[in-house]
Amino acid sequence: KAGVTQTPRYLIKTRGQQVTLSCSPISGHRSVSWYQQTPGQGLQFLFEYFSETQRNKGNFPGRFSGRQFSNSRSEMNVSTLELGDSALYLCASSFSSASSYNEQFFGPGTRLTVL
Amino acid sequence: SQQGEEDPQALSIQEGENATMNCSYKTSINNLQWYRQNSGRGLVHLILIRSNEREKHSGRLRVTLDTSKKSSSLLITASRAADTASYFCATDARGGGADGLTFGKGTHLIIQP
C-alpha cells in the first residue's frame, strides 16, 4: 500500500506570497491532519479534515487554511507569508475515529523556506 | 503550548544498552503515542497506549502509562545504531480542551557503536 505523499518536497517563497501544499493520504484513510515543525516550537497541530470537513483546528492565524476533497486528498494554503512560516509541514492520515486519534501515518513533509 | 514534555532532551548510550525516555503531560488523555523521527524515514508511529492500559510491548519497545502521575515512559532494549533518532510522545486529549495530537519537543537519542 502506498504511503502518504506530499508535494512539493521543497519550496522557496518570499514574504507576502502565498503557497499551497498538497497531501495524498493512504488509500482508505479519511482523516488528514497537518502539522508544522520548527526547531523552536517543535511539532504543532494545524488542523484535521475528515470527510471534507474541518473537524479540529489548532491555534494558528487565519492565514493558514486547508481543505479536503472527496477523494480525501488535502491541501493547505498559507497566505501573506512571513519569515516565521519557514518550517517543515507534515501531513498525516489515519483511520481516526470521531472520539480519538489513532495511529498517524506521516508523509515526508514539505520544507518551506520564506525569504 | 506543548502538552507532552520528554525527558531527557538528549541521551547518548552504547550499542546494546537500554534507553529510557520519559514523557509528562498536563490534561486527561484518550491515549498516548510514541513516534520516532530520523532523516531517513521521517516521522514513524511506534506504539499507542490507551488511557485504561498501564503497559504495552512491541518488539524491543516497552511503554508504560501512569495516568495518576500523568506520565509515560518508553524503554528500548538492546539498542542498535539504527535506533539513533528523535523520539516524541504525543497525547490525544480530544474532548479535554486540546485539539489534535499534541507533541512534546522530543528526546534525541544517539547510539554509539
Side-chain angles (χ1 to χ4, degrees), chain A residues 35 37 40-45 48 55-58 88 90 96-104 106-107, chain B residues 1-2 30-31 33 35 37 42-45 48 50 88 92-95 98-105:
Chain A
Y35 294 83
Q37 186 176 28
Q41 297 298 314
L43 276 153
Q44 293 189 289
F45 172 75
E48 181 207 7
R55 190 159 65 173
N56 287 296
K57 188 177 189 303
L88 180 66
L90 293 163
S96 184
S97 71
S99 59
S100 65
Y101 284 98
N102 297 320
E103 174 184 0
Q104 302 287 300
F106 282 84
Chain B
S1 63
Q2 300 292 346
N30 299 311
N31 65 59
Q33 304 177 33
Y35 288 82
Q37 186 177 38
L43 198 64
V44 175
H45 180 270
L48 180 155
R50 302 192 188 284
F88 298 90
D92 171 13
R94 186 185 297 185
D99 293 313
L101 277 180
T102 307
F103 284 80
K105 292 204 173 182

mmCIF file of all heavy atoms in Angstrom, chain A residues 35 37 40-45 48 55-58 88 90 96-104 106-107, chain B residues 1-2 30-31 33 35 37 42-45 48 50 88 92-95 98-105:
data_model
loop_
_atom_site.group_PDB
_atom_site.id
_atom_site.type_symbol
_atom_site.label_atom_id
_atom_site.label_comp_id
_atom_site.label_asym_id
_atom_site.label_seq_id
_atom_site.Cartn_x
_atom_site.Cartn_y
_atom_site.Cartn_z
ATOM 1 N N TYR A 35 0.545 19.342 10.319
ATOM 2 C CA TYR A 35 1.380 19.800 11.422
ATOM 3 C C TYR A 35 2.499 20.687 10.883
ATOM 4 O O TYR A 35 2.983 20.494 9.778
ATOM 5 C CB TYR A 35 2.009 18.614 12.164
ATOM 6 C CG TYR A 35 1.018 17.746 12.890
ATOM 7 C CD1 TYR A 35 0.321 16.747 12.225
ATOM 8 C CD2 TYR A 35 0.772 17.934 14.243
ATOM 9 C CE1 TYR A 35 -0.597 15.946 12.886
ATOM 10 C CE2 TYR A 35 -0.138 17.134 14.923
ATOM 11 C CZ TYR A 35 -0.817 16.142 14.231
ATOM 12 O OH TYR A 35 -1.720 15.364 14.905
ATOM 13 N N GLN A 37 6.362 21.868 11.833
ATOM 14 C CA GLN A 37 7.501 21.543 12.687
ATOM 15 C C GLN A 37 8.611 22.561 12.510
ATOM 16 O O GLN A 37 9.110 22.778 11.395
ATOM 17 C CB GLN A 37 8.041 20.142 12.388
ATOM 18 C CG GLN A 37 9.137 19.703 13.361
ATOM 19 C CD GLN A 37 9.594 18.274 13.129
ATOM 20 O OE1 GLN A 37 9.531 17.744 12.032
ATOM 21 N NE2 GLN A 37 10.041 17.623 14.188
ATOM 22 N N GLY A 40 12.212 25.685 17.025
ATOM 23 C CA GLY A 40 11.851 26.389 18.253
ATOM 24 C C GLY A 40 10.562 25.901 18.905
ATOM 25 O O GLY A 40 10.495 25.723 20.119
ATOM 26 N N GLN A 41 9.540 25.669 18.111
ATOM 27 C CA GLN A 41 8.225 25.302 18.629
ATOM 28 C C GLN A 41 7.921 23.817 18.527
ATOM 29 O O GLN A 41 6.924 23.353 19.080
ATOM 30 C CB GLN A 41 7.131 26.087 17.902
ATOM 31 C CG GLN A 41 7.217 27.591 18.096
ATOM 32 C CD GLN A 41 7.065 27.978 19.539
ATOM 33 O OE1 GLN A 41 6.180 27.488 20.236
ATOM 34 N NE2 GLN A 41 7.941 28.849 20.014
ATOM 35 N N GLY A 42 8.763 23.060 17.831
ATOM 36 C CA GLY A 42 8.503 21.637 17.686
ATOM 37 C C GLY A 42 7.358 21.374 16.731
ATOM 38 O O GLY A 42 7.099 22.142 15.812
ATOM 39 N N LEU A 43 6.673 20.274 16.976
ATOM 40 C CA LEU A 43 5.528 19.863 16.138
ATOM 41 C C LEU A 43 4.247 20.471 16.685
ATOM 42 O O LEU A 43 3.875 20.218 17.826
ATOM 43 C CB LEU A 43 5.395 18.347 16.156
ATOM 44 C CG LEU A 43 6.256 17.557 15.185
ATOM 45 C CD1 LEU A 43 6.531 16.171 15.721
ATOM 46 C CD2 LEU A 43 5.559 17.480 13.834
ATOM 47 N N GLN A 44 3.580 21.237 15.839
ATOM 48 C CA GLN A 44 2.343 21.871 16.272
ATOM 49 C C GLN A 44 1.214 21.527 15.321
ATOM 50 O O GLN A 44 1.378 21.593 14.099
ATOM 51 C CB GLN A 44 2.524 23.386 16.353
ATOM 52 C CG GLN A 44 3.497 23.811 17.459
ATOM 53 C CD GLN A 44 3.487 25.305 17.648
ATOM 54 O OE1 GLN A 44 3.979 26.047 16.807
ATOM 55 N NE2 GLN A 44 2.900 25.758 18.738
ATOM 56 N N PHE A 45 0.067 21.205 15.887
ATOM 57 C CA PHE A 45 -1.108 20.804 15.128
ATOM 58 C C PHE A 45 -1.727 22.018 14.446
ATOM 59 O O PHE A 45 -1.991 23.044 15.083
ATOM 60 C CB PHE A 45 -2.106 20.156 16.083
ATOM 61 C CG PHE A 45 -3.454 19.855 15.494
ATOM 62 C CD1 PHE A 45 -3.633 18.793 14.629
ATOM 63 C CD2 PHE A 45 -4.554 20.626 15.835
ATOM 64 C CE1 PHE A 45 -4.874 18.501 14.103
ATOM 65 C CE2 PHE A 45 -5.804 20.337 15.315
ATOM 66 C CZ PHE A 45 -5.968 19.288 14.453
ATOM 67 N N GLU A 48 -7.323 19.331 11.226
ATOM 68 C CA GLU A 48 -7.658 17.986 10.788
ATOM 69 C C GLU A 48 -8.904 18.055 9.917
ATOM 70 O O GLU A 48 -9.850 18.778 10.231
ATOM 71 C CB GLU A 48 -7.943 17.055 11.970
ATOM 72 C CG GLU A 48 -8.285 15.618 11.525
ATOM 73 C CD GLU A 48 -9.170 14.865 12.491
ATOM 74 O OE1 GLU A 48 -9.652 15.459 13.470
ATOM 75 O OE2 GLU A 48 -9.393 13.663 12.259
ATOM 76 N N ARG A 55 -12.503 19.178 11.085
ATOM 77 C CA ARG A 55 -13.043 18.637 12.325
ATOM 78 C C ARG A 55 -12.381 19.270 13.548
ATOM 79 O O ARG A 55 -13.003 19.395 14.589
ATOM 80 C CB ARG A 55 -12.857 17.126 12.340
ATOM 81 C CG ARG A 55 -13.593 16.425 13.460
ATOM 82 C CD ARG A 55 -13.809 14.970 13.163
ATOM 83 N NE ARG A 55 -12.595 14.178 13.077
ATOM 84 C CZ ARG A 55 -12.580 12.859 12.955
ATOM 85 N NH1 ARG A 55 -13.718 12.191 12.918
ATOM 86 N NH2 ARG A 55 -11.444 12.179 12.869
ATOM 87 N N ASN A 56 -11.102 19.615 13.432
ATOM 88 C CA ASN A 56 -10.381 20.240 14.538
ATOM 89 C C ASN A 56 -9.408 21.273 13.982
ATOM 90 O O ASN A 56 -8.925 21.138 12.852
ATOM 91 C CB ASN A 56 -9.599 19.189 15.341
ATOM 92 C CG ASN A 56 -10.504 18.323 16.178
ATOM 93 O OD1 ASN A 56 -11.171 18.783 17.092
ATOM 94 N ND2 ASN A 56 -10.534 17.039 15.848
ATOM 95 N N LYS A 57 -9.119 22.259 14.789
ATOM 96 C CA LYS A 57 -8.214 23.318 14.344
ATOM 97 C C LYS A 57 -7.293 23.695 15.485
ATOM 98 O O LYS A 57 -7.734 23.823 16.627
ATOM 99 C CB LYS A 57 -9.017 24.541 13.895
ATOM 100 C CG LYS A 57 -8.178 25.627 13.239
ATOM 101 C CD LYS A 57 -9.071 26.768 12.771
ATOM 102 C CE LYS A 57 -8.306 27.773 11.904
ATOM 103 N NZ LYS A 57 -7.136 28.340 12.567
ATOM 104 N N GLY A 58 -6.011 23.884 15.167
ATOM 105 C CA GLY A 58 -5.041 24.322 16.157
ATOM 106 C C GLY A 58 -5.032 25.825 16.291
ATOM 107 O O GLY A 58 -5.839 26.540 15.695
ATOM 108 N N LEU A 88 8.972 22.823 8.379
ATOM 109 C CA LEU A 88 8.618 21.568 7.713
ATOM 110 C C LEU A 88 7.135 21.339 7.976
ATOM 111 O O LEU A 88 6.696 21.321 9.132
ATOM 112 C CB LEU A 88 9.442 20.412 8.285
ATOM 113 C CG LEU A 88 9.184 19.026 7.685
ATOM 114 C CD1 LEU A 88 9.631 18.983 6.220
ATOM 115 C CD2 LEU A 88 9.919 17.946 8.489
ATOM 116 N N LEU A 90 4.093 18.865 7.794
ATOM 117 C CA LEU A 90 3.842 17.432 7.732
ATOM 118 C C LEU A 90 2.350 17.148 7.641
ATOM 119 O O LEU A 90 1.546 17.765 8.328
ATOM 120 C CB LEU A 90 4.406 16.740 8.974
ATOM 121 C CG LEU A 90 5.931 16.737 9.108
ATOM 122 C CD1 LEU A 90 6.345 16.411 10.526
ATOM 123 C CD2 LEU A 90 6.537 15.740 8.133
ATOM 124 N N SER A 96 -8.676 7.658 11.869
ATOM 125 C CA SER A 96 -9.131 8.330 13.082
ATOM 126 C C SER A 96 -10.642 8.271 13.257
ATOM 127 O O SER A 96 -11.398 8.501 12.334
ATOM 128 C CB SER A 96 -8.683 9.790 13.039
ATOM 129 O OG SER A 96 -9.021 10.442 14.234
ATOM 130 N N SER A 97 -11.059 7.985 14.488
ATOM 131 C CA SER A 97 -12.480 7.973 14.808
ATOM 132 C C SER A 97 -12.906 9.373 15.232
ATOM 133 O O SER A 97 -12.095 10.286 15.314
ATOM 134 C CB SER A 97 -12.739 6.986 15.941
ATOM 135 O OG SER A 97 -12.209 7.501 17.155
ATOM 136 N N ALA A 98 -14.174 9.528 15.542
ATOM 137 C CA ALA A 98 -14.672 10.833 15.953
ATOM 138 C C ALA A 98 -14.221 11.192 17.362
ATOM 139 O O ALA A 98 -14.201 12.360 17.734
ATOM 140 C CB ALA A 98 -16.204 10.859 15.883
ATOM 141 N N SER A 99 -13.855 10.210 18.155
ATOM 142 C CA SER A 99 -13.573 10.483 19.566
ATOM 143 C C SER A 99 -12.095 10.424 19.931
ATOM 144 O O SER A 99 -11.707 10.891 20.990
ATOM 145 C CB SER A 99 -14.321 9.487 20.456
ATOM 146 O OG SER A 99 -13.925 8.163 20.134
ATOM 147 N N SER A 100 -11.264 9.867 19.065
ATOM 148 C CA SER A 100 -9.847 9.775 19.433
ATOM 149 C C SER A 100 -8.984 9.668 18.183
ATOM 150 O O SER A 100 -9.467 9.341 17.104
ATOM 151 C CB SER A 100 -9.589 8.568 20.337
ATOM 152 O OG SER A 100 -9.839 7.365 19.640
ATOM 153 N N TYR A 101 -7.713 9.967 18.353
ATOM 154 C CA TYR A 101 -6.744 9.851 17.270
ATOM 155 C C TYR A 101 -6.074 8.487 17.323
ATOM 156 O O TYR A 101 -5.500 8.107 18.328
ATOM 157 C CB TYR A 101 -5.687 10.956 17.379
ATOM 158 C CG TYR A 101 -6.194 12.302 16.935
ATOM 159 C CD1 TYR A 101 -6.648 13.235 17.860
ATOM 160 C CD2 TYR A 101 -6.219 12.649 15.584
ATOM 161 C CE1 TYR A 101 -7.118 14.467 17.445
ATOM 162 C CE2 TYR A 101 -6.685 13.883 15.171
ATOM 163 C CZ TYR A 101 -7.135 14.785 16.111
ATOM 164 O OH TYR A 101 -7.602 16.001 15.707
ATOM 165 N N ASN A 102 -6.146 7.779 16.236
ATOM 166 C CA ASN A 102 -5.441 6.510 16.124
ATOM 167 C C ASN A 102 -4.038 6.740 15.573
ATOM 168 O O ASN A 102 -3.597 7.879 15.437
ATOM 169 C CB ASN A 102 -6.240 5.555 15.244
ATOM 170 C CG ASN A 102 -7.590 5.228 15.846
ATOM 171 O OD1 ASN A 102 -7.711 5.039 17.046
ATOM 172 N ND2 ASN A 102 -8.616 5.179 15.003
ATOM 173 N N GLU A 103 -3.374 5.658 15.228
ATOM 174 C CA GLU A 103 -2.034 5.745 14.668
ATOM 175 C C GLU A 103 -2.029 6.665 13.442
ATOM 176 O O GLU A 103 -2.848 6.517 12.546
ATOM 177 C CB GLU A 103 -1.588 4.349 14.253
ATOM 178 C CG GLU A 103 -0.265 4.290 13.517
ATOM 179 C CD GLU A 103 0.058 2.880 13.056
ATOM 180 O OE1 GLU A 103 -0.748 1.967 13.315
ATOM 181 O OE2 GLU A 103 1.105 2.705 12.424
ATOM 182 N N GLN A 104 -1.127 7.621 13.471
ATOM 183 C CA GLN A 104 -0.986 8.565 12.369
ATOM 184 C C GLN A 104 0.145 8.109 11.433
ATOM 185 O O GLN A 104 1.227 7.754 11.891
ATOM 186 C CB GLN A 104 -0.643 9.956 12.909
ATOM 187 C CG GLN A 104 -1.666 10.525 13.888
ATOM 188 C CD GLN A 104 -2.939 10.970 13.207
ATOM 189 O OE1 GLN A 104 -2.948 11.833 12.334
ATOM 190 N NE2 GLN A 104 -4.050 10.382 13.606
ATOM 191 N N PHE A 106 2.579 9.472 8.694
ATOM 192 C CA PHE A 106 3.069 10.763 8.226
ATOM 193 C C PHE A 106 3.720 10.670 6.851
ATOM 194 O O PHE A 106 4.374 9.680 6.509
ATOM 195 C CB PHE A 106 4.092 11.328 9.217
ATOM 196 C CG PHE A 106 3.477 11.936 10.439
ATOM 197 C CD1 PHE A 106 3.132 11.151 11.523
ATOM 198 C CD2 PHE A 106 3.224 13.309 10.499
ATOM 199 C CE1 PHE A 106 2.561 11.704 12.652
ATOM 200 C CE2 PHE A 106 2.648 13.873 11.622
ATOM 201 C CZ PHE A 106 2.318 13.066 12.707
ATOM 202 N N GLY A 107 3.554 11.748 6.104
ATOM 203 C CA GLY A 107 4.272 11.899 4.858
ATOM 204 C C GLY A 107 5.671 12.432 5.113
ATOM 205 O O GLY A 107 6.020 12.747 6.248
ATOM 206 N N SER B 1 0.490 25.437 23.208
ATOM 207 C CA SER B 1 1.513 25.057 24.178
ATOM 208 C C SER B 1 1.719 23.541 24.124
ATOM 209 O O SER B 1 0.849 22.801 23.675
ATOM 210 C CB SER B 1 1.081 25.449 25.581
ATOM 211 O OG SER B 1 -0.074 24.754 25.963
ATOM 212 N N GLN B 2 2.901 23.093 24.537
ATOM 213 C CA GLN B 2 3.232 21.683 24.478
ATOM 214 C C GLN B 2 2.534 20.957 25.621
ATOM 215 O O GLN B 2 2.680 21.303 26.773
ATOM 216 C CB GLN B 2 4.753 21.508 24.563
ATOM 217 C CG GLN B 2 5.523 22.196 23.457
ATOM 218 C CD GLN B 2 5.277 21.567 22.093
ATOM 219 O OE1 GLN B 2 4.756 20.483 21.993
ATOM 220 N NE2 GLN B 2 5.644 22.282 21.029
ATOM 221 N N ASN B 30 -7.033 10.533 26.012
ATOM 222 C CA ASN B 30 -7.660 9.318 25.480
ATOM 223 C C ASN B 30 -6.599 8.246 25.259
ATOM 224 O O ASN B 30 -6.802 7.078 25.529
ATOM 225 C CB ASN B 30 -8.365 9.613 24.155
ATOM 226 C CG ASN B 30 -9.455 10.636 24.310
ATOM 227 O OD1 ASN B 30 -10.300 10.528 25.195
ATOM 228 N ND2 ASN B 30 -9.457 11.647 23.446
ATOM 229 N N ASN B 31 -5.481 8.682 24.703
ATOM 230 C CA ASN B 31 -4.359 7.770 24.506
ATOM 231 C C ASN B 31 -3.065 8.568 24.414
ATOM 232 O O ASN B 31 -3.086 9.805 24.311
ATOM 233 C CB ASN B 31 -4.553 6.900 23.257
ATOM 234 C CG ASN B 31 -4.555 7.697 21.960
ATOM 235 O OD1 ASN B 31 -3.608 8.383 21.613
ATOM 236 N ND2 ASN B 31 -5.659 7.592 21.204
ATOM 237 N N GLN B 33 0.808 8.341 22.410
ATOM 238 C CA GLN B 33 1.510 7.657 21.336
ATOM 239 C C GLN B 33 2.976 8.059 21.338
ATOM 240 O O GLN B 33 3.320 9.174 21.722
ATOM 241 C CB GLN B 33 0.855 8.012 19.994
ATOM 242 C CG GLN B 33 -0.629 7.698 19.944
ATOM 243 C CD GLN B 33 -1.294 8.104 18.641
ATOM 244 O OE1 GLN B 33 -0.684 8.066 17.579
ATOM 245 N NE2 GLN B 33 -2.571 8.488 18.711
ATOM 246 N N TYR B 35 6.381 8.323 18.805
ATOM 247 C CA TYR B 35 6.830 8.380 17.422
ATOM 248 C C TYR B 35 8.346 8.536 17.384
ATOM 249 O O TYR B 35 8.948 9.068 18.314
ATOM 250 C CB TYR B 35 6.198 9.576 16.690
ATOM 251 C CG TYR B 35 4.725 9.417 16.397
ATOM 252 C CD1 TYR B 35 3.774 9.693 17.378
ATOM 253 C CD2 TYR B 35 4.290 8.982 15.143
ATOM 254 C CE1 TYR B 35 2.422 9.544 17.116
ATOM 255 C CE2 TYR B 35 2.929 8.830 14.877
ATOM 256 C CZ TYR B 35 2.018 9.106 15.870
ATOM 257 O OH TYR B 35 0.670 8.946 15.600
ATOM 258 N N GLN B 37 11.548 9.907 14.771
ATOM 259 C CA GLN B 37 11.833 10.689 13.575
ATOM 260 C C GLN B 37 13.321 10.677 13.300
ATOM 261 O O GLN B 37 14.126 11.015 14.160
ATOM 262 C CB GLN B 37 11.361 12.145 13.729
ATOM 263 C CG GLN B 37 11.517 12.965 12.453
ATOM 264 C CD GLN B 37 10.974 14.381 12.629
ATOM 265 O OE1 GLN B 37 11.114 14.993 13.680
ATOM 266 N NE2 GLN B 37 10.331 14.911 11.586
ATOM 267 N N GLY B 42 11.599 9.813 8.146
ATOM 268 C CA GLY B 42 10.555 10.741 8.572
ATOM 269 C C GLY B 42 9.996 10.363 9.925
ATOM 270 O O GLY B 42 10.648 9.715 10.739
ATOM 271 N N LEU B 43 8.747 10.741 10.173
ATOM 272 C CA LEU B 43 8.090 10.522 11.459
ATOM 273 C C LEU B 43 7.286 9.227 11.383
ATOM 274 O O LEU B 43 6.392 9.100 10.564
ATOM 275 C CB LEU B 43 7.182 11.712 11.762
ATOM 276 C CG LEU B 43 6.734 11.920 13.197
ATOM 277 C CD1 LEU B 43 7.930 12.220 14.091
ATOM 278 C CD2 LEU B 43 5.749 13.080 13.260
ATOM 279 N N VAL B 44 7.635 8.283 12.260
ATOM 280 C CA VAL B 44 7.032 6.959 12.214
ATOM 281 C C VAL B 44 6.399 6.618 13.557
ATOM 282 O O VAL B 44 7.016 6.811 14.615
ATOM 283 C CB VAL B 44 8.102 5.896 11.860
ATOM 284 C CG1 VAL B 44 7.515 4.497 11.931
ATOM 285 C CG2 VAL B 44 8.672 6.172 10.467
ATOM 286 N N HIS B 45 5.169 6.091 13.500
ATOM 287 C CA HIS B 45 4.466 5.678 14.708
ATOM 288 C C HIS B 45 5.115 4.427 15.288
ATOM 289 O O HIS B 45 5.436 3.480 14.568
ATOM 290 C CB HIS B 45 3.005 5.400 14.364
ATOM 291 C CG HIS B 45 2.176 4.961 15.526
ATOM 292 N ND1 HIS B 45 2.014 3.642 15.878
ATOM 293 C CD2 HIS B 45 1.456 5.684 16.412
ATOM 294 C CE1 HIS B 45 1.232 3.567 16.929
ATOM 295 N NE2 HIS B 45 0.875 4.789 17.275
ATOM 296 N N LEU B 48 0.985 2.864 20.561
ATOM 297 C CA LEU B 48 -0.122 3.633 21.130
ATOM 298 C C LEU B 48 -0.582 2.924 22.387
ATOM 299 O O LEU B 48 -0.773 1.702 22.384
ATOM 300 C CB LEU B 48 -1.269 3.730 20.108
ATOM 301 C CG LEU B 48 -2.543 4.494 20.500
ATOM 302 C CD1 LEU B 48 -3.243 5.015 19.229
ATOM 303 C CD2 LEU B 48 -3.511 3.654 21.302
ATOM 304 N N ARG B 50 -3.560 3.204 25.417
ATOM 305 C CA ARG B 50 -4.803 3.866 25.761
ATOM 306 C C ARG B 50 -4.819 4.218 27.243
ATOM 307 O O ARG B 50 -4.076 3.643 28.045
ATOM 308 C CB ARG B 50 -6.001 2.989 25.383
ATOM 309 C CG ARG B 50 -6.002 2.637 23.906
ATOM 310 C CD ARG B 50 -7.283 2.023 23.416
ATOM 311 N NE ARG B 50 -7.137 1.548 22.046
ATOM 312 C CZ ARG B 50 -7.127 2.347 20.975
ATOM 313 N NH1 ARG B 50 -7.289 3.645 21.109
ATOM 314 N NH2 ARG B 50 -6.974 1.836 19.757
ATOM 315 N N PHE B 88 9.393 11.185 20.108
ATOM 316 C CA PHE B 88 8.370 12.119 20.566
ATOM 317 C C PHE B 88 7.202 11.369 21.191
ATOM 318 O O PHE B 88 6.774 10.338 20.661
ATOM 319 C CB PHE B 88 7.814 12.937 19.384
ATOM 320 C CG PHE B 88 8.821 13.781 18.686
ATOM 321 C CD1 PHE B 88 9.549 13.281 17.617
ATOM 322 C CD2 PHE B 88 9.040 15.089 19.075
ATOM 323 C CE1 PHE B 88 10.478 14.062 16.940
ATOM 324 C CE2 PHE B 88 9.962 15.890 18.412
ATOM 325 C CZ PHE B 88 10.682 15.369 17.348
ATOM 326 N N ASP B 92 -3.317 12.442 22.924
ATOM 327 C CA ASP B 92 -4.641 12.680 22.339
ATOM 328 C C ASP B 92 -5.551 13.060 23.483
ATOM 329 O O ASP B 92 -5.930 12.217 24.295
ATOM 330 C CB ASP B 92 -5.129 11.416 21.640
ATOM 331 C CG ASP B 92 -6.587 11.507 21.206
ATOM 332 O OD1 ASP B 92 -7.157 12.630 21.225
ATOM 333 O OD2 ASP B 92 -7.161 10.465 20.856
ATOM 334 N N ALA B 93 -5.869 14.345 23.539
ATOM 335 C CA ALA B 93 -6.745 14.824 24.608
ATOM 336 C C ALA B 93 -8.027 15.386 24.017
ATOM 337 O O ALA B 93 -8.646 16.269 24.589
ATOM 338 C CB ALA B 93 -6.029 15.886 25.442
ATOM 339 N N ARG B 94 -8.419 14.866 22.863
ATOM 340 C CA ARG B 94 -9.625 15.366 22.204
ATOM 341 C C ARG B 94 -10.799 15.299 23.162
ATOM 342 O O ARG B 94 -11.029 14.291 23.815
ATOM 343 C CB ARG B 94 -9.931 14.564 20.956
ATOM 344 C CG ARG B 94 -11.089 15.130 20.162
ATOM 345 C CD ARG B 94 -11.455 14.258 19.008
ATOM 346 N NE ARG B 94 -10.401 14.121 18.033
ATOM 347 C CZ ARG B 94 -10.531 13.479 16.878
ATOM 348 N NH1 ARG B 94 -11.681 12.936 16.573
ATOM 349 N NH2 ARG B 94 -9.527 13.359 16.048
ATOM 350 N N GLY B 95 -11.529 16.400 23.226
ATOM 351 C CA GLY B 95 -12.663 16.453 24.142
ATOM 352 C C GLY B 95 -12.264 16.958 25.513
ATOM 353 O O GLY B 95 -13.106 17.225 26.355
ATOM 354 N N ALA B 98 -8.074 20.057 24.260
ATOM 355 C CA ALA B 98 -6.984 20.135 23.289
ATOM 356 C C ALA B 98 -7.447 19.492 21.996
ATOM 357 O O ALA B 98 -8.159 18.490 22.012
ATOM 358 C CB ALA B 98 -5.744 19.445 23.815
ATOM 359 N N ASP B 99 -7.060 20.074 20.878
ATOM 360 C CA ASP B 99 -7.422 19.517 19.586
ATOM 361 C C ASP B 99 -6.195 18.981 18.895
ATOM 362 O O ASP B 99 -5.128 19.566 18.978
ATOM 363 C CB ASP B 99 -8.073 20.595 18.722
ATOM 364 C CG ASP B 99 -9.418 21.012 19.279
ATOM 365 O OD1 ASP B 99 -10.207 20.121 19.609
ATOM 366 O OD2 ASP B 99 -9.653 22.219 19.382
ATOM 367 N N GLY B 100 -6.333 17.890 18.239
ATOM 368 C CA GLY B 100 -5.195 17.317 17.539
ATOM 369 C C GLY B 100 -4.291 16.576 18.498
ATOM 370 O O GLY B 100 -4.440 16.640 19.718
ATOM 371 N N LEU B 101 -3.358 15.856 17.940
ATOM 372 C CA LEU B 101 -2.320 15.235 18.742
ATOM 373 C C LEU B 101 -1.366 16.339 19.186
ATOM 374 O O LEU B 101 -0.959 17.168 18.375
ATOM 375 C CB LEU B 101 -1.545 14.206 17.928
ATOM 376 C CG LEU B 101 -2.130 12.804 17.802
ATOM 377 C CD1 LEU B 101 -1.210 11.945 16.956
ATOM 378 C CD2 LEU B 101 -2.357 12.186 19.160
ATOM 379 N N THR B 102 -1.003 16.354 20.455
ATOM 380 C CA THR B 102 -0.077 17.355 20.972
ATOM 381 C C THR B 102 1.261 16.683 21.231
ATOM 382 O O THR B 102 1.357 15.780 22.059
ATOM 383 C CB THR B 102 -0.615 17.985 22.257
ATOM 384 O OG1 THR B 102 -1.936 18.466 22.016
ATOM 385 C CG2 THR B 102 0.268 19.147 22.675
ATOM 386 N N PHE B 103 2.282 17.137 20.523
ATOM 387 C CA PHE B 103 3.606 16.530 20.606
ATOM 388 C C PHE B 103 4.495 17.271 21.591
ATOM 389 O O PHE B 103 4.429 18.492 21.720
ATOM 390 C CB PHE B 103 4.288 16.559 19.231
ATOM 391 C CG PHE B 103 3.767 15.533 18.270
ATOM 392 C CD1 PHE B 103 2.587 15.745 17.573
ATOM 393 C CD2 PHE B 103 4.466 14.361 18.043
ATOM 394 C CE1 PHE B 103 2.104 14.798 16.676
ATOM 395 C CE2 PHE B 103 4.001 13.411 17.142
ATOM 396 C CZ PHE B 103 2.814 13.627 16.466
ATOM 397 N N GLY B 104 5.369 16.516 22.249
ATOM 398 C CA GLY B 104 6.431 17.111 23.024
ATOM 399 C C GLY B 104 7.569 17.514 22.104
ATOM 400 O O GLY B 104 7.494 17.319 20.884
ATOM 401 N N LYS B 105 8.621 18.058 22.668
ATOM 402 C CA LYS B 105 9.745 18.524 21.859
ATOM 403 C C LYS B 105 10.768 17.425 21.583
ATOM 404 O O LYS B 105 11.709 17.634 20.833
ATOM 405 C CB LYS B 105 10.403 19.732 22.518
ATOM 406 C CG LYS B 105 9.495 20.955 22.497
ATOM 407 C CD LYS B 105 10.245 22.254 22.588
ATOM 408 C CE LYS B 105 9.290 23.419 22.395
ATOM 409 N NZ LYS B 105 9.960 24.723 22.428
#
